[in-house]
Amino acid sequence: MRVPVIIPCILSGGAGSRLWPLSRSLRPKQFLPIFDGESLFQKTLRRFPAGEFAAPIVIANANHRFLVGEQMGEVSAANGEGAIVLEPVGRNTAAPVAIAALRAAEADPDALVLIAPSDHLVRDGDRFREAVRAAKPAAQAGKIVTFGIQPSEPHTGYGYIRLAGAAGGVRPVEAFVEKPDLARAEAFLKDGNYVWNAGIFLFSARTMIAEFEQHSPEILASVRRALDAATNDLDFLRLDADLFRAVPDISIDYAIMEKTDRVACVPMDPGWNDLGSWSAVWETFDKSAEGNGSLGEAIYIESRDNLVVSDAALVSVVGLDNVMVVATKDAVLVAAKDRAQDVKEVVERLKVNDRREVREHRRVYRPWGWREEIATGDRFHVQEIEIQPGGAMSEQSHVNRAEHWVVVSGTLEITLDGEARLMTENQSAYAPVGTRHRLANPGRVPARVIEIQSGAYIGDDDIVRYSDADVLGAEGDCGWD
Amino acid sequence: MRVPVIIPCILSGGAGSRLWPLSRSLRPKQFLPIFDGESLFQKTLRRFPAGEFAAPIVIANANHRFLVGEQMGEVSAANGEGAIVLEPVGRNTAAPVAIAALRAAEADPDALVLIAPSDHLVRDGDRFREAVRAAKPAAQAGKIVTFGIQPSEPHTGYGYIRLAGAAGGVRPVEAFVEKPDLARAEAFLKDGNYVWNAGIFLFSARTMIAEFEQHSPEILASVRRALDAATNDLDFLRLDADLFRAVPDISIDYAIMEKTDRVACVPMDPGWNDLGSWSAVWETFDKSAEGNGSLGEAIYIESRDNLVVSDAALVSVVGLDNVMVVATKDAVLVAAKDRAQDVKEVVERLKVNDRREVREHRRVYRPWGWREEIATGDRFHVQEIEIQPGGAMSEQSHVNRAEHWVVVSGTLEITLDGEARLMTENQSAYAPVGTRHRLANPGRVPARVIEIQSGAYIGDDDIVRYSDADVLGAEGDCGWD
């Protein structure tokens, strides 16, 4: 019998607001480089080395497509035409699992698919892969194998799976259990036959499609329609927006796992943490003797068990215990660590006022690279811009502002009213009010530019675009709803 | 008998670190615009309206001279040649009192001098001036009148004055009392004959000089020598650095007040607060129903009695009480409010490492205006610069970096290798590596410029200066020692 490959399917549609203000809806948790300088998304990609695993299918929100592309490139993750499926809106987990099964089945209905969320931390990749290997025969035999995490504490924030049979290897599942109260969670921990439901599954494409047909045919049918009408765009496969919006917004647990009789479970203990809040992040950090964990520069004076995450400023904590401080350039969060979940309340309040701090950082990613606002004042606006090799901004002009550029590194092609010229390090150029201009990077290394906009009116809406390379978000919605 | 004028002498030599990180040694507490957009220094100047008072003598640290000049200008405080006496180093309070007496006596030995610290808040200027009027006859009659603050609580952080005689008007002083413990402070409050020593005094120049001659002749003599060797520089009178360093570093209380038999006291209650810590600042702020006081944008969720001061970022506080958050662009302080005094410990630790966050903000003041670092990266450095009308930076050149300027508002004269030209809004200029350049503002309004330094090396030390308009701190020392 032919041994089918395992196709990792990385689910990256989430936009968790619980790590605000470091996470923003346009740069959610899975893309934050908070562990050894890499993001959880990148760590997830690295969990599936070529050879043992096929190239991954990534399913992501359309608004994150440049982040996905850039972060995959940084870890040299293999991809190919249509390997990144873009969801125009978030539709919970049933839809992406169906997408993964259908995409895998196109090449081989017996292919095995491993569903892996992109926003969890897994410390021990070897143990994780051991568990996957242990699950493989059962998956080939038609089981949907879920991987349960051995509980280390009576956590009330996760769903549990009650296992049957004897300890070790692949075990039958007796039931999926909703988040318990503390007394029940303690009983579960003592009992020993309960594991955390981490949303990680292995199955053959054929099996999952059959189960969808039996238990949730409307999801499968609507996902098929959105896939059939999808369009290819280099590495991206863009799902049809209207058709995908019609897909039921349901979790895979509810759609399939709680209904199927094919489920089995491999318990594992790979150093898993869902990083569902800042206090969970604190748990994963290396800590000082006083229990303080930091990312960025921090000073503690008579303070214990605190978390500091800072992307720029030096943070000092004096005489406080169990506090978290998350400092970004435009928003600082200071909270009791046991109130970490209530960060959502702050985000809710900001959303009501449509505050930018919810949506994006000062640095925003674009198809051609990124731009970061570094200063705004009366009559001026300064941005740092990086254009990737081959990248080009849209051609545009402005009625009220002039723009100046200073090339800091790399080479830039600037086109002014149709006339192109090359500029390199330390050179500068200038587009007077009304001039059509376009910046592009024809080189092999990123080009870094400082842009100064100056004029009596410097609002974002003073722009006439002659192409759309720069438009982000017109098609998608990744708001924290 | 001729009625002598009262010359307010504003003591501005302090460099209190207790309001760090908003205060820095180069921009201490008295210059922070935290009350109605004005600084305590400016509010102190306004306390002495012309007519009732003569033009003030300001005694300040030489490193703060541009701040002093700018802030006096903003409130249209009268000054004149030599009206701002610059101390090359801090020498406690005896020296500036002697300076004030000697300077006042030059014009009129019978002139009355009112010593007023510049870093206290006085809410009720009318009551303050009433007390001064009440003290005037005694001062004319040769008393040194100190103004005692009626205590509102058993504060252990202030020295006390024990009064003799009956309540009301000018009272004899029985003793100066060191900072008490809580039990004694409570007894003082109950007793009713104790007031806080606020360091505010009224005396005639003749009286104070006589008392110095009697009790601390070496201070008077050394101050006289530093004054005799002082040099005039427009509004500034620069004390001779070496001679002033030789002046004993002693408080006026110790040098005179505790020894003289001429002391008297006028008790007053003018809404005084010495703002000696962030918790004292919190006391003076308007607060929400939950007791939260903010300067800058803050969101509180289930949080009470907190203080937020932010110069840029939105600060959110969740589930915390009695915490203070002070957020600046490069340093964030989060502390228990009852540990406000321990901010000094943070500053001490930073000083050991010669950290810039102790010394200055991203915005630093220069004789010609200010510059603020807005972004630094690999190979570049972006600054916002404001040059005052008539201001000129030093002529300089750099070996490793080019500089670009974009004029955002106003008019700039830029001289490149000796050739001057005018640039106005939206125009830009460029100094290649090695070019001698000089920026000046020949106009009538401030000129705002964005400067981009680019090059392989952008360190501060890559500079050749051809004039010294830009050199700050070479002569003074205002460190927090």
Side-chain angles (χ1 to χ4, degrees):
Chain A
M1 183 183 162
R2 194 171 53 83
V3 179
V5 293
I6 296 179
I7 305 171
C9 173
I10 317 286
L11 302 195
S12 179
S17 61
R18 282 176 297 186
L19 297 194
W20 187 87
L22 202 63
S23 67
R24 308 279 166 115
S25 61
L26 286 178
R27 191 178 181 80
K29 181 176 118 186
Q30 62 269 30
F31 300 115
L32 303 176
I34 53 177
F35 294 97
D36 328 311
E38 277 194 351
S39 72
L40 295 168
F41 176 74
Q42 291 175 314
K43 287 188 168 293
T44 304
L45 289 168
R46 285 197 196 278
R47 206 169 298 139
F48 306 108
E52 184 168 2
F53 295 90
I57 297 171
V58 172
I59 303 181
N61 187 291
N63 277 332
H64 303 146
R65 63 195 184 277
F66 312 121
L67 270 171
V68 168
E70 188 183 322
Q71 294 208 346
M72 288 181 82
E74 281 172 12
V75 299
S76 308
N79 51 33
E81 197 176 295
I84 303 168
V85 181
L86 299 179
E87 297 181 325
V89 289
R91 273 296 172 267
N92 216 315
T93 51
V97 171
I99 290 167
L102 290 169
R103 292 287 289 167
E106 282 172 25
D108 176 4
D110 290 315
L112 295 183
V113 176
L114 180 72
I115 298 294
S118 65
D119 59 349
H120 297 170
L121 183 66
V122 171
R123 283 241 190 65
D124 192 335
D126 286 333
R127 279 206 192 172
F128 182 93
R129 285 181 292 271
E130 261 171 44
V132 172
R133 273 173 228 129
K136 206 167 164 182
Q140 282 178 268
K143 289 288 187 191
I144 300 176
V145 185
T146 177
F147 297 85
I149 308 295
Q150 295 285 9
S152 53
E153 52 169 336
H155 206 291
T156 57
Y158 304 137
Y160 284 69
I161 302 170
R162 187 161 74 237
L163 305 176
V170 183
R171 296 178 65 178
V173 168
E174 215 170 275
F176 286 83
V177 184
E178 298 278 304
K179 294 176 186 174
D181 60 20
L182 186 62
R184 291 189 72 209
E186 280 168 349
F188 292 173
L189 185 62
K190 208 171 161 193
D191 180 283
N193 286 312
Y194 289 80
V195 290
W196 293 333
N197 181 358
I200 308 168
F201 310 103
L202 183 72
F203 50 78
S204 80
R206 186 190 300 280
T207 301
M208 187 55 83
I209 291 169
E211 292 303 291
F212 264 105
E213 270 162 359
Q214 188 179 341
H215 302 294
S216 292
E218 71 295 355
I219 296 181
L220 190 71
S222 56
V223 164
R224 263 206 178 105
R225 283 192 290 273
L227 269 175
D228 288 345
T231 50
N232 265 298
D233 176 6
L234 304 171
D235 294 346
F236 302 122
L237 182 73
R238 296 168 179 272
L239 296 169
D240 182 86
D242 289 336
L243 293 173
F244 192 72
R245 270 178 225 277
V247 176
D249 190 348
I250 290 172
S251 76
I252 186 67
D253 291 334
Y254 185 79
I256 303 295
M257 302 309 288
E258 294 174 8
K259 294 172 178 164
T260 180
D261 55 9
R262 298 203 186 193
V263 70
C265 181
V266 171
M268 63 177 179
D269 187 7
W272 176 90
N273 188 313
D274 81 333
L275 300 176
S277 69
W278 280 117
S279 56
V281 172
W282 175 79
E283 281 164 22
T284 68
F285 273 19
D286 290 335
K287 284 176 278 288
S288 71
E290 293 77 28
N292 296 309
S294 319
L295 182 67
E297 219 179 352
I299 290 179
Y300 300 93
I301 292 187
E302 288 178 45
S303 298
R304 294 179 164 271
D305 300 322
N306 300 289
L307 171 73
V308 165
V309 174
S310 173
D311 71 354
L314 164 74
V315 176
S316 305
V317 180
V318 179
L320 290 170
D321 300 340
N322 292 303
V323 164
M324 51 192 238
V325 180
V326 184
T328 67
K329 283 175 187 148
D330 57 356
V332 175
L333 171 74
V334 182
K337 214 161 77 238
D338 62 5
R339 299 291 299 273
Q341 302 290 346
D342 297 325
V343 170
K344 285 197 141 186
E345 273 190 57
V346 177
V347 172
E348 287 309 310
R349 247 199 243 190
L350 294 176
K351 269 169 61 182
V352 169
N353 300 312
D354 195 25
R355 293 282 300 229
R356 182 190 158 166
E357 290 89 345
V358 170
R359 215 164 48 238
E360 56 192 19
H361 280 281
R362 296 223 167 133
R363 178 178 297 188
V364 293
Y365 287 80
R366 294 284 189 258
W368 40 259
W370 52 257
R371 59 162 75 235
E372 179 173 337
E373 182 191 313
I374 55 180
T376 295
D378 188 30
R379 291 187 52 90
F380 75 94
H381 201 92
V382 183
Q383 309 220 25
E384 187 181 349
I385 294 174
E386 182 171 295
I387 305 182
Q388 296 301 316
M393 295 170 66
S394 64
E395 187 178 15
Q396 49 192 246
S397 68
H398 314 285
V399 174
N400 290 299
R401 69 177 188 247
E403 292 190 341
H404 308 255
W405 302 278
V406 176
V407 181
V408 166
S409 62
T411 297
L412 200 68
E413 183 190 74
I414 172 166
T415 308
L416 291 173
D417 282 338
E419 220 164 295
R421 67 185 178 95
L422 286 181
M423 298 193 333
T424 185
E425 286 163 9
N426 295 354
Q427 296 187 317
S428 58
Y430 166 58
V433 167
T435 310
R436 281 172 73 141
H437 54 273
R438 176 189 178 88
L439 304 186
N441 178 1
R444 305 245 167 206
V445 295
R448 198 67 74 91
V449 194
I450 303 294
E451 173 178 292
I452 300 104
Q453 306 172 352
S454 67
Y457 177 78
I458 48 165
D460 276 353
D461 53 347
D462 174 16
I463 187 163
V464 181
R465 284 185 211 276
Y466 304 95
S467 60
D468 69 351
D470 209 30
V471 181
L472 177 76
E475 68 192 79
D477 173 10
C478 63
W480 286 338
D481 299 317
Chain B
M1 182 182 160
R2 193 171 52 86
V3 178
V5 293
I6 295 179
I7 305 172
C9 172
I10 317 287
L11 302 194
S12 178
S17 61
R18 283 177 295 186
L19 297 194
W20 187 87
L22 202 62
S23 67
R24 307 281 165 113
S25 62
L26 286 178
R27 192 178 180 80
K29 182 176 118 186
Q30 63 269 31
F31 301 115
L32 303 176
I34 53 177
F35 293 96
D36 328 311
E38 277 194 353
S39 71
L40 294 169
F41 175 73
Q42 290 174 315
K43 286 187 167 300
T44 304
L45 289 168
R46 286 197 196 278
R47 204 169 300 139
F48 306 107
E52 185 165 2
F53 295 90
I57 297 172
V58 172
I59 303 183
N61 187 290
N63 277 332
H64 303 148
R65 63 194 183 279
F66 312 121
L67 269 170
V68 168
E70 188 184 322
Q71 294 206 348
M72 288 181 81
E74 281 173 10
V75 297
S76 309
N79 50 36
E81 197 176 295
I84 303 169
V85 180
L86 298 179
E87 298 181 324
V89 290
R91 274 293 173 269
N92 216 318
T93 51
V97 171
I99 292 168
L102 291 169
R103 291 287 288 168
E106 284 172 26
D108 177 6
D110 290 314
L112 295 183
V113 176
L114 179 71
I115 299 292
S118 65
D119 58 349
H120 297 169
L121 183 66
V122 172
R123 284 241 191 64
D124 191 336
D126 285 334
R127 280 207 192 172
F128 182 93
R129 286 181 292 271
E130 261 169 45
V132 172
R133 271 174 232 131
K136 206 168 165 181
Q140 284 179 264
K143 290 287 186 189
I144 299 175
V145 185
T146 177
F147 296 85
I149 308 294
Q150 295 285 10
S152 52
E153 50 169 339
H155 206 291
T156 59
Y158 304 137
Y160 284 69
I161 301 169
R162 188 162 72 240
L163 305 177
V170 184
R171 296 178 64 178
V173 168
E174 213 169 278
F176 285 83
V177 185
E178 297 279 303
K179 294 177 187 175
D181 59 20
L182 187 62
R184 291 188 73 210
E186 279 167 349
F188 291 173
L189 186 62
K190 209 169 157 191
D191 180 283
N193 285 312
Y194 289 82
V195 290
W196 293 334
N197 180 357
I200 308 168
F201 309 104
L202 183 71
F203 50 79
S204 78
R206 185 192 300 279
T207 299
M208 186 54 82
I209 292 169
E211 291 303 292
F212 263 104
E213 270 161 359
Q214 185 178 344
H215 302 294
S216 293
E218 72 292 357
I219 296 181
L220 190 71
S222 57
V223 165
R224 264 207 177 104
R225 283 192 291 273
L227 268 174
D228 287 346
T231 50
N232 265 299
D233 176 7
L234 302 173
D235 293 346
F236 302 123
L237 182 73
R238 295 168 181 272
L239 296 169
D240 183 85
D242 289 336
L243 293 172
F244 192 72
R245 269 178 227 279
V247 175
D249 190 349
I250 290 173
S251 75
I252 185 67
D253 291 334
Y254 185 78
I256 302 294
M257 302 309 288
E258 294 174 10
K259 294 173 178 162
T260 180
D261 56 7
R262 297 207 186 189
V263 70
C265 181
V266 171
M268 65 176 177
D269 186 8
W272 176 91
N273 188 313
D274 82 333
L275 300 174
S277 69
W278 280 117
S279 55
V281 172
W282 175 80
E283 281 164 21
T284 67
F285 273 21
D286 289 334
K287 285 177 277 290
S288 70
E290 292 78 28
N292 296 308
S294 319
L295 182 68
E297 217 179 354
I299 291 179
Y300 300 92
I301 293 187
E302 288 177 45
S303 298
R304 293 179 166 272
D305 299 324
N306 300 289
L307 171 73
V308 165
V309 174
S310 174
D311 70 354
L314 164 74
V315 175
S316 305
V317 180
V318 179
L320 290 170
D321 299 339
N322 292 304
V323 164
M324 52 191 238
V325 181
V326 183
T328 67
K329 281 174 189 150
D330 57 356
V332 175
L333 170 74
V334 182
K337 214 161 77 237
D338 60 6
R339 299 291 299 274
Q341 301 289 347
D342 297 324
V343 170
K344 283 197 143 185
E345 275 191 55
V346 178
V347 173
E348 286 309 311
R349 244 198 244 190
L350 294 175
K351 269 169 62 182
V352 169
N353 300 311
D354 194 24
R355 292 281 303 231
R356 184 189 155 166
E357 291 88 345
V358 170
R359 217 165 45 241
E360 55 192 19
H361 280 280
R362 296 225 167 129
R363 177 178 298 188
V364 294
Y365 287 78
R366 294 282 189 260
W368 39 261
W370 52 257
R371 60 163 72 236
E372 180 172 337
E373 183 191 311
I374 54 180
T376 295
D378 187 31
R379 293 186 53 87
F380 75 92
H381 201 91
V382 183
Q383 308 218 30
E384 186 180 347
I385 293 173
E386 182 170 295
I387 305 182
Q388 297 299 319
M393 296 169 65
S394 64
E395 186 178 16
Q396 50 192 247
S397 67
H398 314 285
V399 174
N400 291 298
R401 68 174 189 250
E403 292 189 341
H404 307 255
W405 302 278
V406 176
V407 181
V408 166
S409 62
T411 297
L412 200 68
E413 182 191 73
I414 172 166
T415 308
L416 292 173
D417 282 338
E419 219 163 296
R421 68 183 175 95
L422 285 182
M423 297 193 333
T424 184
E425 285 165 9
N426 296 353
Q427 295 187 319
S428 58
Y430 166 58
V433 167
T435 309
R436 281 172 74 140
H437 54 274
R438 177 189 177 88
L439 303 188
N441 178 2
R444 303 247 166 202
V445 295
R448 197 68 74 90
V449 194
I450 303 296
E451 173 178 290
I452 299 104
Q453 307 172 351
S454 67
Y457 178 78
I458 48 165
D460 274 353
D461 53 347
D462 174 16
I463 187 162
V464 181
R465 283 185 214 273
Y466 305 94
S467 61
D468 69 350
D470 208 29
V471 180
L472 178 74
E475 70 193 76
D477 173 9
C478 64
W480 286 336
D481 300 317

